[in-house]
């Protein structure tokens, strides 16, 4: 790749277009001082240097649903298991520097070709959410990728979906008193006040969204307040919906007329809303969500690891609803590989895969991006589009091809991994070079994060027996159908 004047010229042997039948030949892209594409020219491949000829250029990817986990849950013993018991194990997480945690997470995403992420923030310290948001804002600026900070509203059902007393009955006597009074949760009014203060942290790579964590975890009045606030200010809303069968069962009993219909009645369903997971949706609900312009962010790796089920991708695509993809901080191999996630999603569609190549990539290039940064013309390699681009080593992907003209789409979607990412640009700025994040020292940040986490873990009381007891009680709570009570 040839770079002049702060990397204003990008040359590659191949281009991956928005359509499977589009031009895939050698290309030269010129980036203007405004960070947008000034020119896209077809060029003679014979003019390229060997290192340039190996490259495939495409729009950078989006991660439409993530949690910014620089420290993996596996690091502190939160093994993969069904969601309802898995979240209990997250209490063993040691408190680490929120800036360092986000910095590592964002740099890893950048090295996977991701230029934009919807960061659903999990607070480490409920009293320090504002400080954590400021730290994430700094990390976004320092790494240099687009981050939408989904501000968490969590004020309902802190332990189980439904009445607390049946859970307490299943706990050992010493634990009942501790969990009889759940930890304090931020009220909607307090959260809205903090949200207003956090607007001071916004910059050209960082914006706030409303994040009612999920209907089972958010009071109805809070959901209504968020719907009204979004209608006034136009900000996006991001939530989890029907991730597990237990959530589906709870909703069917708590909302006999339909939870999705209730969300529509209070004004939450709109083109500003993105719902994550959406595994247990019914056809009438899918139709209503599509009619309202809602976007669905699917998370195949996470759904497999947490035993949640597989998203109804074929039914979703038949409805013409907007679909995008996220890693959820739970990539299949715990490595934040967005390219592999797209492959898994493609293989999950019960359709002719030849019809899906361009669709899957466009879902990441455009649909997912839109849920993070809005409509900005991104996700395309065209004059005027933001120069959010990345290259992969196509020479390696096609090293054994016998075809005179290699099949670009099938090779990328069947073989590409984060190890093949060469360069990644955000607004023309080179964030990744030769496969490594150049804006921050990721290996050093990773070492420091692990060092700090180990020190914090040694200093904290980790009650493994208590976690095990709570997990067993929760599993029995749902097995016995206690969440059916309303």
């Amino acid at each position: 790749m040839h770079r002049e004047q702060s990397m204003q010229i990008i040359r590659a042997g191949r281009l991956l277009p928005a359509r499977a039948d589009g031009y895939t030949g050698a290309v030269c892209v010129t980036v203007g001082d405004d960070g947008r594409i000034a020119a896209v020219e077809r060029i003679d491949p014979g003019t390229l240097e060997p290192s340039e000829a190996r490259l495939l250029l495409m729009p950078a990817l989006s991660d439409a649903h993530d949690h910014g986990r620089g420290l993996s849950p596996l690091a502190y013993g939160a093994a993969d298991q069904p969601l309802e018991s898995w979240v209990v194990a997250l209490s063993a997480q040691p408190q680490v520097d929120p800036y360092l945690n986000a910095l590592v997470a964002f740099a890893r995403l950048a090295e996977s070709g991701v230029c934009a992420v919807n960061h659903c923030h999990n607070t480490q310290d409920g009293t320090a959410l504002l400080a954590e948001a400021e730290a994430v804002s700094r990390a976004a600026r320092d790494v240099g990728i687009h981050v939408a900070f989904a501000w968490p509203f969590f004020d309902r059902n802190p332990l189980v979906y439904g009445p607390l007393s049946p859970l307490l009955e299943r706990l050992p006597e010493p634990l009942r008193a501790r969990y009889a009074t759940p930890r304090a949760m931020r009220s909607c009014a307090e959260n809205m006040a903090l949200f207003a203060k956090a607007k001071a942290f916004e910059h050209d790579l960082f914006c706030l969204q409303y994040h009612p964590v999920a209907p089972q975890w958010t009071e109805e009045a809070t959901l209504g307040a968020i719907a009204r606030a979004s209608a006034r200010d136009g900000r996006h809303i991001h939530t989890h919906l029907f991730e597990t069968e237990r959530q589906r069962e709870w909703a069917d009993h708590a909302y006999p007329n339909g939870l999705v219909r209730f969300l529509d009645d209070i004004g939450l369903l709109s083109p500003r809303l993105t719902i994550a997971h959406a595994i247990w949706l019914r056809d009438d609900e899918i139709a209503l969500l599509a009619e309202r312009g809602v976007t669905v962010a699917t998370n195949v790796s996470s759904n497999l690891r947490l035993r949640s089920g597989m998203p109804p991708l074929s039914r979703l695509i038949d409805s013409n609803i907007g679909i995008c993809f996220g890693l959820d901080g739970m990539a299949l191999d715990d490595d934040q590989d967005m390219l592999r996630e797209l492959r898994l999603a493609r293989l999950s569609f019960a359709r002719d895969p030849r019809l899906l190549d361009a669709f899957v990539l466009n879902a990441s290039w455009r649909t997912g991006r839109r849920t993070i940064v809005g409509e900005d013309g991104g996700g395309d390699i065209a004059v005027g589009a933001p120069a959010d681009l990345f290259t992969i080593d196509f020479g390696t992907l096609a090293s054994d091809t016998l075809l005179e003209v290699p099949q670009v789409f099938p090779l990328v979607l069947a073989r590409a991994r984060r190890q093949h990412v060469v360069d990644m640009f955000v607004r023309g700025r080179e964030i990744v070079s030769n496969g490594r994040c150049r804006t921050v020292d990721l290996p050093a940040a990773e070492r420091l994060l692990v060092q700090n986490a180990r020190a914090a873990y040694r200093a904290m009381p980790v009650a493994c027996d208590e976690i095990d007891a709570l997990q067993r009680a929760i599993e029995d709570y749902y097995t016995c159908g206690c969440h059916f009570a309303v």
Side-chain angles (χ1 to χ4, degrees):
M1 181 174 297
H2 177 62
R3 305 179 182 89
E4 298 176 355
Q5 297 180 353
S6 301
M7 301 158 290
Q8 295 299 305
I9 305 296
I10 305 171
R11 290 154 53 92
R14 286 177 175 81
L15 170 71
L16 194 58
R19 297 185 358 259
D21 59 350
Y23 173 71
T24 59
V27 66
C28 176
V29 172
T30 303
V31 181
D33 293 339
D34 59 355
R36 293 183 175 269
I37 296 173
V40 181
E41 303 171 86
R42 301 185 184 188
I43 59 174
D44 179 355
T47 65
L48 296 173
E49 298 176 4
S51 60
E52 296 172 333
R54 298 179 62 84
L55 298 179
L56 171 68
L57 178 68
M58 68 179 92
L61 306 173
S62 64
D63 179 356
H65 179 73
D66 213 304
H67 291 275
R69 296 188 178 105
L71 185 70
S72 166
L74 288 172
Y76 48 89
D80 297 353
Q81 58 191 292
L83 176 78
E84 283 77 17
S85 55
W86 178 76
V87 294
V88 177
L90 299 184
S91 64
Q93 178 184 0
Q95 286 197 19
V96 296
D97 179 353
Y99 168 77
L100 195 59
N101 198 37
L103 192 80
V104 168
F106 297 159
R108 286 174 179 163
L109 287 176
E111 290 188 353
S112 187
V114 171
C115 72
V117 59
N118 204 320
H119 171 81
C120 300
H121 190 71
N122 295 119
T123 55
Q124 296 184 85
D125 181 350
T127 66
L129 177 54
L130 197 63
E132 291 179 7
E134 188 278 330
V136 175
S137 172
R138 278 188 287 122
R141 187 192 302 276
D142 289 349
V143 174
I145 67 172
H146 303 279
V147 174
F149 186 99
W151 188 276
F153 288 76
F154 183 102
D155 55 10
R156 183 184 195 184
N157 294 333
L159 293 175
V160 287
Y161 323 138
L164 184 60
S165 57
L167 176 67
L168 298 178
E169 294 168 1
R170 288 164 168 78
L171 288 174
E173 185 65 39
L175 298 182
R176 291 180 186 174
R178 177 177 302 183
Y179 290 102
T181 305
R183 60 181 174 84
M185 295 179 287
R186 284 181 301 275
S187 69
C188 179
E190 181 184 4
N191 238 341
M192 287 293 187
L194 290 171
F195 187 96
K197 292 181 179 179
K199 292 176 184 179
F201 308 143
E202 292 185 310
H203 51 76
D204 58 349
L205 292 173
F206 182 86
C207 65
L208 299 178
Q209 295 189 1
Y210 299 107
H211 178 38
V213 177
Q216 70 274 3
W217 291 317
T218 313
E219 293 285 358
E220 292 180 357
T222 302
L223 291 169
I226 290 171
R228 294 189 295 274
S230 172
R232 288 193 302 269
D233 62 24
R235 289 183 182 271
H236 287 201
I237 305 171
H238 194 100
T239 193
H240 300 72
L241 183 66
F242 292 148
E243 182 174 358
T244 71
E245 188 173 16
R246 302 301 193 197
Q247 294 170 6
R248 171 87 256 181
E249 292 168 346
W250 169 83
D252 287 346
H253 284 78
Y255 296 89
N257 294 326
L259 173 58
V260 174
R261 177 60 63 183
F262 167 76
L263 298 178
D264 188 43
D265 289 342
I266 65 173
L268 200 72
L269 306 189
S270 81
R272 299 182 302 279
L273 175 66
T274 300
I275 59 173
H277 299 290
I279 296 172
W280 296 90
L281 284 172
R282 296 177 180 140
D283 287 346
D284 62 314
E285 295 166 337
I286 292 174
L288 178 57
L289 292 168
E291 182 181 342
R292 297 293 185 261
V294 174
T295 302
V296 174
T298 66
N299 315 93
V300 179
S301 288
S302 175
N303 301 155
L304 289 169
R305 291 181 60 181
L306 299 182
R307 321 299 198 266
S308 299
M310 292 298 288
L313 292 175
S314 293
R315 290 191 288 128
L316 289 170
I317 195 173
D318 286 341
S319 74
N320 292 317
I321 199 170
I323 302 172
C324 51
F325 307 107
L327 288 167
D328 199 28
M330 294 287 287
L332 188 67
D333 294 329
D334 222 20
D335 59 357
Q336 293 301 79
D337 191 331
M338 196 66 214
L339 287 163
R340 181 185 284 114
E341 186 70 17
L342 297 182
R343 174 156 56 257
L344 284 173
R346 174 179 177 267
L347 294 172
S348 300
F349 281 99
R351 302 173 68 92
D352 183 344
R354 292 171 298 177
L355 302 177
L356 295 169
D357 293 345
F359 172 83
V360 168
L361 285 164
N362 271 292
S364 185
W365 292 341
R366 292 177 175 167
T367 309
R369 179 190 181 91
R370 185 173 64 245
T371 70
I372 299 164
V373 301
E375 294 282 6
D376 69 344
D380 197 3
I381 301 180
V383 173
D388 293 357
L389 312 167
F390 81 120
T391 63
I392 63 173
D393 180 3
F394 188 76
T396 295
L397 294 186
S399 60
D400 63 346
T401 185
L402 307 181
L403 304 178
E404 183 176 348
V405 180
Q407 296 178 320
V408 178
F409 273 94
L411 284 171
V412 169
L413 286 168
R415 293 181 171 179
R417 305 189 308 276
R418 61 177 296 123
Q419 291 90 334
H420 297 116
V421 174
V422 179
D423 300 279
M424 201 273 287
F425 302 84
V426 176
R427 297 180 178 173
R429 180 191 181 197
E430 191 173 39
I431 306 301
V432 174
S433 177
N434 294 319
R436 299 296 181 190
C437 184
R438 61 175 291 167
T439 52
V440 299
D441 186 342
L442 177 57
E446 289 175 323
R447 289 192 298 270
L448 184 57
L449 177 62
V450 171
Q451 176 184 335
N452 292 350
R454 283 176 175 160
Y457 189 79
R458 288 192 297 267
M460 68 182 285
V462 180
C464 295
D465 292 344
E466 181 177 327
I467 290 174
D468 290 343
L470 189 55
Q471 287 178 324
R472 288 193 299 271
I474 286 175
E475 289 167 4
D476 190 56
Y477 178 97
Y478 290 113
T479 299
C480 294
C482 297
H483 57 305
F484 293 165
V486 294

